């Protein structure tokens, strides 16, 4: 019998519809896979077997009764632990929320439930989505299924690793500066950051509200499009939600899958490449440009000079918003409460003790940075200047999109690095997102798909960016490139080159 965990979401959905398999079988197969490999991978923080199987059984019963179901009904999914799930523990990777059980579902979770998608569990992440490696998770890192000594990216390393390790066909991530796209790049999977405001933020534990956006993680471009179609759309409970209904991204992906991009103008962003980018990453990127040319696209170069200041602006805006968003974790309302070891138990002292014990070092660093940047007398010099840079970046994008329909770059400057390599050097960690951050600052959508392997044998991500509200271009161009890459590789995707996880377990056990 086919291994159900190896199917794409689209293929699995097809087999569910035809009655060849049931959702209970598919969900159980993924739970078994999680039981077999998640020890070493550690993609999941919580596994909801009972609830997932109950959803699956319900979908199977409704299908048997002839009910008209959603296209993805019965396809299981993993959800990043920064998204709240009713009656299921949600921690955002932090000790301060250890054991917190939300009383409500995020809008996107409601949509997954309405579509009949069993939620397998919640995935690991850097604490409050701050990081590029999952090493900042309070619950230990996730390991990259390609090499268990290497990082799976971050902050959504758990969602990307779950998909790469065949523990889930689909996952939800969130991307504030690259946390969907960079993990996709270093695990050989697909990840999409939608246009800001096109997927509801209601029920996302906020990191930086003007940058956060939830989106799909998958193994194919079409699968991300199918999931995007489920979670997108207007939500009156999110004040920044776009009013218009979302178009069908799956249609765009299917159109792109013909591999024809005649007349499409592809802009290579000069500032997102070159120095600091690993030679093997650059080579893979160049090879993909050749595929795009062969597909009929016109490849031009564009320049976005303000991008040189993007990282600096991001690391003022993000900590400023985060310091304000994280003020609610005060030991009074949610999760952890720590009383001072000695002296009076005043509200202020409980708050200090709780935050001191509950937050990890990266979170404290950013709270301090953000509080400083927002303080009277510094606002104009730091936060105000960063907002001006943000406007310049938006103008650079606007000009670039005059010359090109989509913009492209490598997603991340390097392939997956080893644990410990960057965790004590914040600047080195921050540089992982140099190519992904401009899109968040401008609110535009971005997709990362695997473009092949670097000379070190590890996967490389290819990033496609489109103007705000033109997410369908990501899927069309992404699917076309995917089709051409598959044809060039004789039909096998990048993940076919990943080692079997079972063969890796022993080495890391020894290394740990
Ligand atoms: N790695 C980036 C950061 O640490 C991005 C985080 C994110 O997208 N959530 O801020």
């Amino acid at each position: 019998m086919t291994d159900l965990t190896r199917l794409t979401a689209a293929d699995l959905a097809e087999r569910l519809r035809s009655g060849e398999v049931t959702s209970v079988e598919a969900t159980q197969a993924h739970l078994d896979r999680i039981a077999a490999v998640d020890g070493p991978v550690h993609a999941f923080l919580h596994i909801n077997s009972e609830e997932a199987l109950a959803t699956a059984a319900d979908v199977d019963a409704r299908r048997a009764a002839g009910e008209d179901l959603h296209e993805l009904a019965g396809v299981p999914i993993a959800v990043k632990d920064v998204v709240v799930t009713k009656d299921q523990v949600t921690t955002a990777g932090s000790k301060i929320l250890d054991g917190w059980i939300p009383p409500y579902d995020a809008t996107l979770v409601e949509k997954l439930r309405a579509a009949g998608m069993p939620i397998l569990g919640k995935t690991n992440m850097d604490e409050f989505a701050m990081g590029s490696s999952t090493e900042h998770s309070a619950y230990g890192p996730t390991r990259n299924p390609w090499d268990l000594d290497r990082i799976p990216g971050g902050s959504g390393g758990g969602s990307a690793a779950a998909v790469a390790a065949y523990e889930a066909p689909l996952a939800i991530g969130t991307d504030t500066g690259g946390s969907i796209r960079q993990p996709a790049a270093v695990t050989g999977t697909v990840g999409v950051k939608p246009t800001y405001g096109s997927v509801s933020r209601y029920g996302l534990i906020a990191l930086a509200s003007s940058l956060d956006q939830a989106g799909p993680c998958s193994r194919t471009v079409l699968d991300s499009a199918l999931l995007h179609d489920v979670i997108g759309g207007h939500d009156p409970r999110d004040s920044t939600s776009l009013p218009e209904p979302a178009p069908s991204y799956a249609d765009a992906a299917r159109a792109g899958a013909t591999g024809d991009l005649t007349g499409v103008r592809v802009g290579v962003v000069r500032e997102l490449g070159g120095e600091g980018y690993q030679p093997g990453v650059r080579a893979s990127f160049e090879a993909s440009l050749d595929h795009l040319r062969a597909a009929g696209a016109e490849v031009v170069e564009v320049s976005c000079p303000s991008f040189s200041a993007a990282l600096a602006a991001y690391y003022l805006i993000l900590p400023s918003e985060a310091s304000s968003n994280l003020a609610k974790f005060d030991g009074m309302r949610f999760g952890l409460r720590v009383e001072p070891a000695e002296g009076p138990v005043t509200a202020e002292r409980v708050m200090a003790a709780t935050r001191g014990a509950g937050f990890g070092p990266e979170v404290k660093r950013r709270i301090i940075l953000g509080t400083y940047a927002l303080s009277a007398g510094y606002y104009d010099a730091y936060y105000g200047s960063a907002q001006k840079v943000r406007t310049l970046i938006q103008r650079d994008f606007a000009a670039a999109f005059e010359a090109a329909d989509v913009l492209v770059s490598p997603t991340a400057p390097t392939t997956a690095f080893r644990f410990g390599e960057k965790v004590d050097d914040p600047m080195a960690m921050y540089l992982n997102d140099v190519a992904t951050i401009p899109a968040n600052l401008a609110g535009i959508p971005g997709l990362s798909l695997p473009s092949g392997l670097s000379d070190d044998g590890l996967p490389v991500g290819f990033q496609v960016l489109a103007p705000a509200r033109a997410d369908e271009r990501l899927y069309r161009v992404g699917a076309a490139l995917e089709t051409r890459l598959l044809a060039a590789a004789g039909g096998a995707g990048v993940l076919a080159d990943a080692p079997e996880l079972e063969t890796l377990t022993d080495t890391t056990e020894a290394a740990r």
Side-chain angles (χ1 to χ4, degrees):
M1 197 185 147
T2 347
D3 181 349
L4 298 176
T5 65
R6 300 276 158 157
L7 298 175
T8 66
D11 287 345
L12 180 56
E14 186 56 48
R15 290 180 197 225
L16 288 165
R17 262 195 305 280
S18 73
E20 191 185 325
V21 293
T22 65
S23 178
V24 168
E25 286 165 348
T27 303
Q28 189 61 55
H30 285 93
L31 290 168
D32 291 347
R33 175 73 181 166
I34 292 169
V37 303
D38 207 53
V41 176
H42 193 227
F44 284 87
L45 290 178
H46 328 285
I47 297 156
N48 307 331
S49 322
E50 225 172 276
E51 192 201 273
L53 288 168
T55 304
D58 177 56
V59 167
D60 288 339
R62 282 158 52 203
R63 199 185 306 274
E67 209 179 295
D68 196 15
L69 298 173
H70 187 278
E71 195 172 353
L72 290 183
V75 176
I77 185 164
V79 176
K80 188 177 179 182
D81 205 29
V82 75
V83 181
V84 306
T85 41
K86 188 172 192 290
D87 300 335
Q88 297 288 355
V89 174
T90 300
T91 66
S94 181
K95 279 283 178 237
I96 212 159
L97 281 175
D98 201 4
W100 181 57
I101 299 183
Y104 69 107
D105 274 329
T107 296
L108 76 85
V109 172
E110 282 181 355
K111 288 178 181 242
L112 299 177
R113 294 197 201 281
M117 300 177 71
I119 298 174
L120 296 164
K122 305 294 290 291
T123 56
N124 196 15
M125 54 182 284
D126 288 293
E127 185 175 6
F128 288 108
M130 299 180 188
S132 301
S133 69
T134 75
E135 288 166 293
H136 295 309
S137 168
Y139 303 96
T142 296
R143 295 176 192 83
N144 192 320
W146 286 78
D147 177 344
L148 298 175
D149 296 334
R150 291 179 190 268
I151 60 100
S155 64
S159 283
V163 168
Y166 303 100
E167 296 173 82
L170 295 171
I172 295 289
T174 59
D175 192 311
T176 304
S179 287
I180 291 175
R181 290 164 287 160
Q182 181 258 4
V186 300
T187 57
T189 57
V190 176
V192 179
K193 178 238 175 256
T195 293
Y196 181 78
S198 69
V199 174
S200 173
R201 285 185 299 108
Y202 181 78
L204 262 52
I205 297 174
L207 169 52
S209 310
S210 76
L211 302 165
D212 297 345
Q213 193 60 199
C217 310
S218 64
R219 291 188 293 265
T220 67
V221 173
L222 174 61
D223 281 2
S224 271
L226 287 164
L227 179 54
H228 196 160
D229 285 343
V230 176
I231 61 175
H234 179 66
D235 180 11
R237 291 178 296 189
D238 171 358
S239 62
T240 58
S241 176
L242 294 173
E244 63 262 21
S248 167
Y249 298 121
D251 287 349
R254 290 195 177 101
T258 57
D260 180 18
L261 291 176
T262 307
V264 176
R265 296 168 307 159
V266 173
V268 177
V269 185
R270 188 187 305 155
E271 288 76 10
L272 302 182
E275 207 194 322
Y277 288 73
Q278 197 175 307
V281 168
R282 291 214 304 254
S284 175
F285 177 71
E286 293 294 335
S288 288
L289 292 181
D290 288 338
H291 284 297
L292 291 175
R293 286 188 195 97
E298 183 197 338
V299 178
V300 299
E301 193 184 68
V302 298
S303 177
C304 296
S306 308
F307 285 14
S308 60
L311 202 63
Y314 174 87
Y315 277 102
L316 285 166
I317 293 168
L318 178 137
S320 298
E321 293 188 20
S323 69
S324 154
N325 276 326
L326 269 54
K328 62 179 165 288
F329 301 105
D330 56 4
M332 307 290 154
R333 285 174 276 199
F334 318 91
L336 188 74
R337 176 190 163 99
V338 178
E339 296 197 352
E342 51 197 42
V345 184
T346 62
E348 219 164 90
R349 285 167 49 83
V350 169
M351 213 177 288
T354 302
R355 289 166 71 85
F359 287 139
E362 182 62 23
V363 175
K364 287 178 183 160
R365 180 180 297 128
R366 295 198 197 189
I367 290 174
I368 292 167
L369 195 61
T371 309
Y372 179 80
L374 289 178
S375 42
Y378 294 108
Y379 182 95
D380 287 337
Y382 297 119
Y383 187 77
S385 306
Q387 290 292 19
K388 286 179 188 159
V389 170
R390 192 170 187 175
T391 301
L392 293 177
I393 286 166
Q394 286 163 353
R395 286 186 191 157
D396 276 1
F397 269 125
F401 284 123
E402 295 278 313
D405 302 305
V406 293
L407 302 178
V408 297
S409 77
T411 308
T414 70
T415 55
F417 48 93
R418 287 197 167 77
F419 288 112
E421 240 176 72
K422 301 186 181 180
V423 70
D424 297 323
D425 180 352
M427 194 55 201
M429 191 67 89
Y430 298 168
L431 279 167
N432 286 293
D433 293 314
V434 65
T436 47
I437 276 171
N440 300 79
L441 289 170
I444 68 164
L447 171 150
S448 178
L449 80 155
S451 61
L453 302 183
S454 172
D455 44 11
D456 56 11
L458 293 166
V460 176
F462 185 93
Q463 177 173 242
V464 186
L465 303 169
R469 304 176 190 212
D471 305 44
E472 66 280 359
R473 293 187 199 173
L474 305 179
Y475 292 110
R476 173 157 180 232
V477 173
L481 177 56
E482 183 181 56
T483 295
R484 299 229 160 223
L485 287 163
L486 278 173
V494 164
L495 279 171
D497 290 319
E500 286 301 323
L501 263 172
E502 290 76 356
T503 64
L504 293 179
T505 311
D506 289 340
T507 30
T508 38
E509 285 297 330
R512 250 182 280 159

